[in-house]
Short mmCIF file of all heavy atoms in Angstrom, two decimals:
data_model
loop_
_atom_site.label_atom_id
_atom_site.label_comp_id
_atom_site.label_asym_id
_atom_site.label_seq_id
_atom_site.Cartn_x
_atom_site.Cartn_y
_atom_site.Cartn_z
N GLU A 227 -6.00 7.18 -39.22
CA GLU A 227 -4.94 8.08 -39.68
C GLU A 227 -3.57 7.58 -39.24
O GLU A 227 -2.59 7.70 -39.98
CB GLU A 227 -5.20 9.49 -39.15
CG GLU A 227 -6.41 10.16 -39.80
CD GLU A 227 -6.74 11.49 -39.18
OE1 GLU A 227 -6.22 11.76 -38.07
OE2 GLU A 227 -7.51 12.26 -39.79
N VAL A 228 -3.48 7.03 -38.03
CA VAL A 228 -2.20 6.48 -37.56
C VAL A 228 -1.80 5.28 -38.42
O VAL A 228 -0.63 5.12 -38.79
CB VAL A 228 -2.30 6.08 -36.08
CG1 VAL A 228 -1.08 5.29 -35.64
CG2 VAL A 228 -2.46 7.31 -35.21
N ILE A 229 -2.77 4.43 -38.76
CA ILE A 229 -2.49 3.28 -39.62
C ILE A 229 -2.04 3.75 -41.00
O ILE A 229 -1.07 3.22 -41.58
CB ILE A 229 -3.74 2.38 -39.74
CG1 ILE A 229 -4.05 1.74 -38.38
CG2 ILE A 229 -3.54 1.31 -40.80
CD1 ILE A 229 -5.36 0.97 -38.35
N LEU A 230 -2.71 4.77 -41.54
CA LEU A 230 -2.35 5.32 -42.85
C LEU A 230 -0.94 5.89 -42.81
O LEU A 230 -0.15 5.69 -43.76
CB LEU A 230 -3.36 6.40 -43.24
CG LEU A 230 -3.10 7.09 -44.59
CD1 LEU A 230 -3.16 6.08 -45.73
CD2 LEU A 230 -4.10 8.21 -44.82
N ARG A 231 -0.61 6.59 -41.73
CA ARG A 231 0.74 7.13 -41.60
C ARG A 231 1.78 6.03 -41.61
O ARG A 231 2.84 6.13 -42.26
CB ARG A 231 0.85 7.94 -40.31
CG ARG A 231 2.24 8.46 -40.02
CD ARG A 231 2.28 9.17 -38.66
NE ARG A 231 3.60 9.69 -38.36
CZ ARG A 231 4.58 8.99 -37.80
NH1 ARG A 231 4.37 7.71 -37.48
NH2 ARG A 231 5.76 9.55 -37.55
N GLY A 232 1.52 4.95 -40.88
CA GLY A 232 2.45 3.83 -40.84
C GLY A 232 2.64 3.20 -42.20
O GLY A 232 3.78 2.91 -42.61
N ASN A 233 1.55 2.99 -42.92
CA ASN A 233 1.65 2.40 -44.26
C ASN A 233 2.43 3.30 -45.21
O ASN A 233 3.23 2.84 -46.03
CB ASN A 233 0.25 2.14 -44.83
CG ASN A 233 -0.49 1.06 -44.05
OD1 ASN A 233 0.12 0.22 -43.39
ND2 ASN A 233 -1.81 1.08 -44.12
N LEU A 234 2.20 4.61 -45.09
CA LEU A 234 2.91 5.57 -45.94
C LEU A 234 4.40 5.57 -45.64
O LEU A 234 5.24 5.62 -46.56
CB LEU A 234 2.33 6.96 -45.73
CG LEU A 234 2.91 8.08 -46.60
CD1 LEU A 234 2.70 7.78 -48.08
CD2 LEU A 234 2.27 9.42 -46.24
N LEU A 235 4.76 5.49 -44.37
CA LEU A 235 6.17 5.43 -43.99
C LEU A 235 6.86 4.21 -44.58
O LEU A 235 8.00 4.29 -45.05
CB LEU A 235 6.30 5.41 -42.47
CG LEU A 235 6.18 6.74 -41.73
CD1 LEU A 235 6.13 6.51 -40.23
CD2 LEU A 235 7.35 7.65 -42.07
N VAL A 236 6.19 3.09 -44.55
CA VAL A 236 6.76 1.85 -45.10
C VAL A 236 6.99 2.00 -46.60
O VAL A 236 8.06 1.63 -47.12
CB VAL A 236 5.84 0.65 -44.80
CG1 VAL A 236 6.28 -0.58 -45.58
CG2 VAL A 236 5.82 0.35 -43.31
N GLU A 237 6.02 2.53 -47.33
CA GLU A 237 6.15 2.66 -48.78
C GLU A 237 7.26 3.65 -49.16
O GLU A 237 8.03 3.41 -50.08
CB GLU A 237 4.81 3.11 -49.38
CG GLU A 237 3.69 2.10 -49.25
CD GLU A 237 4.07 0.75 -49.86
OE1 GLU A 237 4.67 0.75 -50.97
OE2 GLU A 237 3.77 -0.28 -49.23
N VAL A 238 7.34 4.77 -48.42
CA VAL A 238 8.39 5.75 -48.70
C VAL A 238 9.76 5.15 -48.42
O VAL A 238 10.72 5.34 -49.20
CB VAL A 238 8.18 7.02 -47.85
CG1 VAL A 238 9.39 7.94 -47.95
CG2 VAL A 238 6.93 7.76 -48.31
N THR A 239 9.88 4.39 -47.33
CA THR A 239 11.16 3.77 -47.00
C THR A 239 11.57 2.75 -48.04
O THR A 239 12.76 2.64 -48.40
CB THR A 239 11.07 3.10 -45.61
OG1 THR A 239 10.63 4.06 -44.64
CG2 THR A 239 12.41 2.55 -45.18
N LYS A 240 10.63 2.00 -48.56
CA LYS A 240 10.93 1.03 -49.63
C LYS A 240 11.51 1.73 -50.85
O LYS A 240 12.49 1.26 -51.45
CB LYS A 240 9.66 0.26 -50.00
CG LYS A 240 9.22 -0.77 -48.98
CD LYS A 240 7.96 -1.48 -49.46
CE LYS A 240 7.49 -2.53 -48.46
NZ LYS A 240 6.23 -3.20 -48.91
N GLU A 241 10.92 2.86 -51.22
CA GLU A 241 11.42 3.59 -52.38
C GLU A 241 12.80 4.16 -52.12
O GLU A 241 13.66 4.17 -53.02
CB GLU A 241 10.43 4.72 -52.74
CG GLU A 241 9.08 4.23 -53.22
CD GLU A 241 9.21 3.34 -54.47
OE1 GLU A 241 10.02 3.69 -55.37
OE2 GLU A 241 8.52 2.32 -54.53
N LEU A 242 13.06 4.64 -50.90
CA LEU A 242 14.37 5.15 -50.56
C LEU A 242 15.43 4.05 -50.63
O LEU A 242 16.56 4.28 -51.07
CB LEU A 242 14.36 5.78 -49.17
CG LEU A 242 13.64 7.13 -49.04
CD1 LEU A 242 13.57 7.55 -47.58
CD2 LEU A 242 14.35 8.20 -49.85
N ILE A 243 15.07 2.87 -50.18
CA ILE A 243 16.01 1.74 -50.23
C ILE A 243 16.34 1.39 -51.67
O ILE A 243 17.49 1.10 -52.01
CB ILE A 243 15.43 0.53 -49.48
CG1 ILE A 243 15.38 0.82 -47.98
CG2 ILE A 243 16.27 -0.72 -49.74
CD1 ILE A 243 14.73 -0.26 -47.17
#
Side-chain angles (χ1 to χ4, degrees):
E227 290 174 345
V228 170
I229 293 173
L230 179 61
R231 175 184 181 275
N233 293 337
L234 183 60
L235 280 172
V236 170
E237 294 304 318
V238 170
T239 305
K240 287 180 180 178
E241 294 301 318
L242 287 173
I243 291 175

